[in-house]
Amino acid sequence: MNSAAPARTVDAQKLQTLVTDIFNAEGVPTPNAARIAECLVLADLRGVASHGVSRLSIYLERIRRGMVERVPEFAMSEPSPVAALLDGGNGFGFLAATKAMTMATERAEQFGIGMVGVKNSNHFGMAACYLLQAVDAGFAALVFTNASPAMPVWGGREPLLGTSPFAFGAPGNPPIILDMATSVVARGKIRRAAAAGEPIPEGWALDKDGNPTTDAQAGYEGLILPLGGPKGSGLSLMMEVMAGVMTGAAFGGEVRNQYERFDAPQNVGHMMVAFKPGIFMGEDYRERMGELVSRAKGSTPVYSDQPVLMPGEPEALRAEERRRNGILLGGADLEMIASEARSVGVDASAYI
């Protein structure tokens, strides 16, 4: 297999097992390795390849360079019964965010709402992973994080803000899972386009001199534009407040780029908020939510062959299909995964 190898469909469960084994062989305890692999493969299942197994190498490199702890030691403070602050011990963001959402839902179960901030963490992948964690447990949730600077504050021309996601989930049939970047597009999509030598659409990014560009590498090295101009900039500032300023994590341009900075940990911040969806309406919540979804999906579609779908529904349908039929991975990603497996003594041939 080489970088020119063709794309191939792989079984999702086998891929998840392989990624678990790779992290485990690198010294990450099995339960933690399994959760990291679950989050990465879930992103690929849902069609968010920018946050999927394509990032395997950079996570492993940060372990090997001592930038991420294989076995983090979490610490917690509890300023109120409904709120807690988790020190992620410079471990993987997947693990800190999962722990924080568990803590938030535990408090929500007892008090109706729970709020858990995280500091001293790292990139946590796809925000929908933690929304689904909460929704599957019967709770509505908000998930915030900050990120390395890639986007200007509105009116500025230097990167200050991250392309942090705004994420909201609520139980329903189907559940609403809103996970959107506060930039025009997730930075990971521009990075993948640059790696593949592909152009990007106009309006996604500016080069380092502030000129509009369709060159993905120039856009990645320059400025990614905020969603809706000042609206996206304002939402990203909110992430900096919620996930950075309030938690004690890095903020305002201080979060280190995981691909470029190996001199110190990232110190990413997160904020998880979980609450009982029926806290005001009781059992009427489900009926009312069902009616909202029914009205929305009953809207006359713009195109007759494209029904109206709820936020997160296209991703859920895609995940169902890919669980049945497999995930299509490009040759470069397949070669990278096999190479990483060989480097830690894992035989990838039985899996991919």
Side-chain angles (χ1 to χ4, degrees), residues 42-48 126 128 132 173-179 189 293 297 306-324:
L42 182 59
D44 283 309
L45 282 167
R46 292 175 68 85
V48 191
M126 178 182 69
L132 290 166
N173 186 24
I176 289 178
I177 303 293
L178 174 64
D179 178 3
K189 291 186 178 181
V293 171
K297 291 174 69 68
Q306 297 180 20
V308 174
L309 299 176
M310 294 295 94
E313 193 174 5
E315 293 85 353
L317 293 171
R318 189 177 298 118
E320 288 180 11
E321 185 275 326
R322 291 182 177 182
R323 288 190 192 280
R324 291 193 304 269

Side-chain angles (χ1 to χ4, degrees), residues 113-131:
I113 188 169
M115 182 176 184
V116 179
V118 182
K119 63 179 180 179
N120 196 18
S121 185
N122 288 279
H123 187 263
F124 74 1
M126 178 182 69
C129 190
Y130 317 106
L131 294 178

